[in-house]
Amino acid sequence: MTLRKGERATISIQEHMAIDVCPGPIKPIKQISDYFPRFPRGLPAAASRPAAPPSRPPLSPAEPPRDEDEDVDRLFGAYGASGPAEQPAPRPAEEEAADAEGYESDDCTTLGTLDFSLLYDQENNALHCTINKAKGLKPMDHNGLADPYVKLHLLPGASKANKLRTKTLRNTLNPTWNETLTYYGITDEDMIRKTLRISVCDEDKFRHNEFIGETRIPLKKLKPNQTRTFSICLEKQLPIDKTEDKSLEERGRILISLKYSSQKQGLLVGIIRCAHLAAMDANGYSDPYVKTYLKPDEDKKSKHKTAVKKKTLNPEFNEEFCYEIKHGDLAKKTLEVTVWDYDIGKSNDFIGGVVLGINAKGERLKHWFDCLKNKDKKIERWHTLTNELPGAILSD
């Protein structure tokens, strides 16, 4: 365009807008998710983003430079408001921490919640786990539903020996079980060092069952003989510590009752049940039975044996044997109880045993002493099985 002498150059509105709006190369528009960042677990919610370079110089010396994020924030704040947007006040640290926990609760929306209650019956050495209901479970099947059930494990030492499970409910994301599962043989020591793992799974007839979510409750949180209710968001599967102390590994436990009967003039030994037995067979179970001896046994007639319980690690026997003996002679005797795994065509496997008598120690001695002291009174106690039994014949 040629200009005559004395004329001023004019700029069209299109050129003016282009110069004002596009002073440099065009930058890509940020996604809305950039303004709502999701941090990985463990990072604080207030993790800072790197500041973007200022898009233009400050309008006045009193106005600080603004980055692109602040410009967008001001635009959102100014929408529907006449005055300039106010800067949000800094939040206290407690609120920031609450946000960090809130991110973990995001699993609630994807995995669901579980309502249950726990009761430690200290007198009977039992842990009662009542599974009430779940809400908003993650759909696992093609029809947008699931076939959920709940299974329990005690850690450390998760195995088939201490696994319990509820029934399966079909085609629901909001199941109601109202089912109580009980662990027997739980001691005060267990309540201090063990953790209850509660998992929700989806049963599949044609494939492996699928994991939905889990939660873990340290048993030390429970108070004896007081029911505690929980409503907890399910979490993703957590790894199980494989380096747990092997010295804590047990062969199982047995519930024995002792009673000296004045009427029968003998010692009544009750084999009630076993719990958390070691698995001896390839299928992960055992076929347990129990033998008892009252020693010294010069006539070789003191042996008693229970029935065999097939494919179980938590057998219930409820059998009672009578040893005819004078009360005064019991102080010289020792009761040996052994648990075996029955095998067809080969030697039976020794699972564990326990010795009660005047030369025993701890709870085993106390049980024997209480029996001698209280005639005609049945006394039940749980005892831990050991893999070595002095004086026992480790073959059947």
Side-chain angles (χ1 to χ4, degrees), residues 111-353:
L111 302 179
T113 61
L114 182 67
D115 295 351
F116 60 96
S117 62
L118 302 177
L119 169 63
Y120 173 48
D121 184 352
Q122 190 176 36
E123 182 180 355
N124 296 310
N125 296 104
L127 176 65
H128 302 289
C129 314
T130 301
I131 307 299
N132 297 319
K133 62 183 179 179
K135 293 183 292 185
L137 293 181
K138 178 182 177 182
M140 304 298 290
D141 298 336
H142 295 300
N143 59 3
L145 300 172
D147 301 321
Y149 67 92
V150 178
K151 64 179 180 179
L152 310 180
H153 282 106
L154 283 176
L155 304 175
S159 67
K160 290 183 179 180
N162 61 42
K163 183 182 79 172
L164 300 175
R165 62 162 286 174
T166 67
K167 59 187 176 185
T168 301
L169 299 181
R170 303 289 177 186
N171 297 322
T172 178
L173 299 180
N174 300 285
T176 299
W177 289 281
N178 290 329
E179 193 171 338
T180 299
L181 308 174
T182 301
Y183 282 105
Y184 295 98
I186 300 298
T187 63
D188 291 341
E189 181 185 357
D190 292 329
M191 298 300 295
I192 295 173
R193 67 179 180 87
K194 286 189 177 285
T195 296
L196 179 65
R197 178 191 183 196
I198 306 177
S199 307
V200 181
C201 300
D202 171 62
E203 185 175 292
D204 199 315
K205 292 182 179 179
F206 306 105
R207 296 179 297 174
H208 290 295
N209 295 343
E210 296 179 288
F211 176 87
I212 298 178
E214 72 168 43
T215 186
R216 299 186 185 184
I217 305 296
L219 296 185
K220 61 185 177 183
K221 288 186 175 182
L222 305 180
K223 295 182 179 180
N225 306 315
Q226 293 185 18
T227 301
R228 181 167 177 180
T229 302
F230 299 84
S231 182
I232 294 184
C233 296
L234 296 174
E235 300 179 85
K236 297 176 183 178
Q237 193 164 15
L238 302 173
I240 296 178
D241 186 11
K242 300 294 184 181
T243 61
E244 59 192 35
D245 188 359
K246 294 299 181 182
S247 65
L248 299 178
E249 194 173 325
E250 299 172 352
R251 309 291 291 180
R253 297 177 186 179
I254 186 169
L255 179 59
I256 302 173
S257 69
L258 297 179
K259 172 185 173 181
Y260 186 82
S261 173
S262 300
Q263 181 180 0
K264 295 185 178 181
Q265 289 292 303
L267 176 67
L268 302 180
V269 178
I271 305 300
I272 301 173
R273 68 191 311 150
C274 294
H276 318 154
L277 293 180
M280 307 302 290
D281 296 337
N283 60 6
Y285 292 97
S286 294
D287 301 320
Y289 67 95
V290 180
K291 294 192 302 180
T292 64
Y293 293 90
L294 192 61
K295 295 189 173 182
D297 181 21
E298 298 174 356
D299 298 330
K300 306 291 183 182
K301 294 181 179 180
S302 72
K303 174 182 172 182
H304 289 285
K305 183 190 297 186
T306 69
V308 176
K309 301 296 180 179
K310 293 290 186 179
K311 198 180 177 182
T312 178
L313 300 176
N314 298 281
E316 190 168 351
F317 298 100
N318 290 321
E319 296 189 36
E320 190 173 73
F321 310 119
C322 180
Y323 291 100
E324 294 183 4
I325 186 174
K326 295 180 180 179
H327 183 266
D329 294 337
L330 278 178
K332 306 171 187 177
K333 296 289 186 176
T334 297
L335 179 67
E336 293 183 0
V337 181
T338 55
V339 183
W340 299 79
D341 169 53
Y342 177 75
D343 286 320
I344 300 176
K346 58 179 182 178
S347 300
N348 296 331
D349 299 317
F350 174 71
I351 296 178

Side-chain angles (χ1 to χ4, degrees), residues 323-387:
Y323 291 100
E324 294 183 4
I325 186 174
K326 295 180 180 179
H327 183 266
D329 294 337
L330 278 178
K332 306 171 187 177
K333 296 289 186 176
T334 297
L335 179 67
E336 293 183 0
V337 181
T338 55
V339 183
W340 299 79
D341 169 53
Y342 177 75
D343 286 320
I344 300 176
K346 58 179 182 178
S347 300
N348 296 331
D349 299 317
F350 174 71
I351 296 178
V354 63
V355 177
L356 306 178
I358 202 68
N359 295 320
K361 295 180 180 179
E363 282 295 318
R364 295 166 293 166
L365 174 61
K366 188 175 186 300
H367 194 184
W368 189 256
F369 179 75
D370 289 345
C371 171
L372 299 183
K373 185 178 178 182
N374 301 280
K375 285 185 179 182
D376 300 310
K377 180 180 179 181
K378 180 183 289 188
I379 301 174
E380 296 182 358
R381 295 280 167 79
W382 281 95
H383 297 284
T384 300
L385 300 173
T386 60
N387 56 2

